[in-house]
Each structure stands twice: as structure tokens, then as C-alpha cells.
Amino acid sequence: MVSPYVDSSLFLRKVRWIPIVDVDLGVNVDPLSGLFTILIALIGFVVLLYSIGYMEGEEGLARYYFFMLLFIGSMIGLVMADNFLQLFIFWELVGLCSYELVSFWYRKREAVRAGVKVFIMTKIGDISLLAGILLICSELNTLSYREVFLRYGEVSPSILTLVSMLMLFGAMVKSAQFPLHTWLYSAMEAPTSVSCLLHGATMVKAGVYLVARTHTLFDGIPLWLNSLVWVGALTALLGATLALHTNDIKGVPAYSTISQIGFMMVALGVAHSPKDLGWFASLFHMISHAFFQGLGFLAIGS
């Protein structure tokens, strides 16, 4: 079974980055990061191959491929980061690529509006995530996964609860969960290949990754677990209902994605530790969803 944290020998530390706090620039190699890396690279390869024909004749192809490759690299950097600051930097790069690619057809007013909406709404969650990161740094004077996972017991329960909810809100927004879920539908103004990569298969899974990564920190907080279950369940019901209502062919998989990620969040919420079946079930569904939803978008595009 995949574990969110393994022995520190797998944390490859290379460069002392910020001397004031314990932050090294490094790569975290463990089963969880490896799983996401392989998935992102594989889906990214398929989408880029598909783009050769789908985007043929479009203007701005250099810009398109630049941001697509930057997104794939940033997403891999996000899941392989070995500290929260490094994760946040790649988290923001992913958001930048999303904005640029959603508004790729910038001559269309709807695409520009959608890009701005995606940027602003996701930034609300990013501020919450940054607040949680700064709070845990002020308590432990470190942002290293290894140190935080070993020393989180030193943080008072009230502060740890606050950190958990701030990070959870950031993850929920990134994964288009209720109430800030409407940006994902608006993002369908992007080329269908972009919708597949960013909003069907990989980027919206960043929130699932963050929850899975921090599960061992917060699984003793009932409020955090209950929030995961209730928000995920409400989003799953709401997303499925909206998918039945829309008559937009790209809107159906967009709302379906919102709904399916809700199920992933519920599975993580009912798991009381990363060893529980719910934790594994969430990631298993994440993999299956990436394939069937990604293929669905590519079929729509053709």
C-alpha cells in the first residue's frame, strides 16, 4: 500500500536554501510522489501527442507548448517537493499555467474572462494554503516534510486544527470543491487538450495530493476529517446534479470531475490513518478517473 511518508533516507537533500528556517531544496522520492509523477508524465505525454493534430494550424503554438511543458514540469515539481515552501512555489506555477492556457484564445472575450475567473478564485485558496504554511513554520521553525511529520506533536491542538483547516481550504479550492467549484466549468473555454491535462486528469488532483500528503499530520483532528467527508459528499451530489442539467458537451465531464473528486475527498475523510482502506481507495479512484476522464476529453475534442 502506498504510504504518504517513508524513511527519511529517501529524502534527497541537495542545497541549503533558506538558512533562517530549516528549508533545503530537494526531491522527495516515495511511493506517493512516484505514483503522481508517473501519472502526470504519462497523461502529459499522451496529451502532447494528441495536440500535434488537434492544435495544427492554430496561432501561438510556441506559447501553447511552452505553457503545457511548464505545467507538466511544475506539477511534477509539486508532487516531488520535499518541503512546504517548495510545494507552494510549484503550486503557484501550476496556477499561472492554468490561467495562461485557459485564456489561450485571448481574442475571445469569454476565454479571457474565464482565465481571470480561474486565476482569482484559485488565488483565494492559495492565500489560505500560504497562511497555513506560514503558521506551521512559525510554530516549528521548519518547513521540511521530515521535520514537520516528526515534530507536529509539539504544536498545540488548537493551532494544528487551524493549520489543518487552512490547508484543507486551499486543497478544496484547487480541486474545485464546494463552494468555490464554479471555476472548473468556466475553464472549459480552454482548448480541449488543455481541459484534459489541467482540469480533467492532473491539476485538479493537486488538492487530492495535498490532503493525502498531510493526512498523517491531521488524521487525529475530527473537525478536519468531518469537513473532508461533508464537503466531499455535498460536492459529489452537486456536481452530478449539475452534470445532468447542462447541455454543454464539455460541461458534462467538467461537472463529473467535480463530482468524482468529491468522492476522493470522502474516501480520505473516512480514513483514520494512511493505512486505512479509504486512503488507498481514494488514490485508486484518482488513477482510474485520470484515465477515463482524460480519454473522455480527448474523445470530445475529436
Side-chain angles (χ1 to χ4, degrees):
M1 183 178 295
V2 181
S3 171
Y5 178 73
V6 294
D7 185 78
S8 60
S9 62
L10 291 183
F11 285 71
L12 308 180
R13 301 181 177 278
K14 299 297 183 181
V15 180
R16 170 62 72 178
W17 191 9
I18 303 177
I20 300 175
V21 294
D22 180 19
V23 179
D24 292 341
L25 181 62
V27 176
N28 175 24
V29 182
D30 69 358
L32 181 61
S33 62
L35 173 67
F36 273 84
T37 298
I38 293 172
L39 182 67
I40 294 163
L42 179 60
I43 298 294
F45 170 75
V46 172
V47 171
L48 289 174
L49 193 63
Y50 175 90
S51 298
I52 295 174
Y54 181 77
M55 297 298 292
E56 185 178 6
E58 293 285 347
E59 295 181 2
L61 284 182
R63 175 166 50 91
Y64 171 82
Y65 284 110
F66 171 79
F67 281 109
M68 288 288 275
L69 290 170
L70 180 61
F71 167 78
I72 294 171
S74 299
M75 193 66 193
I76 292 175
L78 187 156
V79 300
M80 297 196 74
D82 80 331
N83 60 78
F84 285 104
L85 180 58
Q86 198 172 328
L87 175 141
F88 184 76
I89 291 173
F90 285 114
W91 188 278
E92 291 300 298
L93 283 174
V94 166
L96 171 65
C97 294
S98 176
Y99 162 74
E100 293 287 348
L101 289 168
V102 169
S103 55
F104 174 75
W105 285 318
Y106 60 88
R107 299 184 191 277
K108 293 173 57 180
R109 181 173 297 180
E110 295 82 2
V112 175
R113 288 178 176 174
V116 172
K117 181 179 181 179
V118 169
F119 185 82
I120 292 176
M121 292 188 71
T122 54
K123 284 298 158 286
I124 296 173
D126 296 351
I127 293 171
S128 177
L129 174 60
L130 179 60
I133 291 173
L134 294 177
L135 191 56
I136 198 71
C137 180
S138 66
E139 292 293 315
L140 299 177
N141 198 37
T142 181
L143 291 173
S144 166
Y145 288 162
R146 178 174 61 87
E147 292 296 324
V148 172
F149 291 161
L150 292 175
R151 297 173 49 202
Y152 71 92
E154 301 175 15
V155 182
S156 66
S158 58
I159 296 296
L160 193 62
T161 300
L162 178 58
V163 171
S164 71
M165 298 309 295
L166 288 171
M167 290 191 175
L168 176 60
F169 184 75
M172 289 291 188
V173 175
K174 199 71 163 182
S175 290
Q177 299 295 281
F178 180 83
L180 297 178
H181 61 283
T182 57
W183 67 263
L184 187 61
Y185 179 81
S186 300
M188 294 302 112
E189 290 293 337
T192 305
S193 54
V194 172
S195 300
C196 171
L197 183 62
L198 274 71
H199 309 113
T202 55
M203 192 199 84
V204 288
K205 307 295 175 38
V208 178
Y209 169 80
L210 179 61
V211 173
R213 172 64 69 190
T214 57
H215 200 286
T216 191
L217 292 178
F218 307 133
D219 56 18
I221 302 175
L223 176 62
W224 186 80
L225 293 173
N226 292 334
S227 298
L228 268 175
V229 172
W230 284 106
V231 173
L234 180 60
T235 305
L237 177 62
L238 180 63
T241 304
L242 291 172
L244 289 172
H245 179 266
T246 184
N247 56 6
D248 179 6
I249 190 172
K250 287 182 70 177
V252 174
Y255 285 129
S256 173
T257 294
I258 294 172
S259 177
Q260 296 302 310
I261 294 178
F263 285 116
M264 299 175 205
M265 293 297 186
V266 170
L268 287 169
V270 299
H272 293 286
S273 77
K275 295 181 180 180
D276 284 2
L277 183 60
W279 194 90
F280 173 79
S282 175
L283 295 184
F284 184 84
H285 186 47
M286 183 274 300
I287 298 171
S288 66
H289 175 266
F291 281 97
F292 76 70
Q293 200 69 292
L295 290 172
F297 272 112
L298 297 184
I300 289 170
S302 62

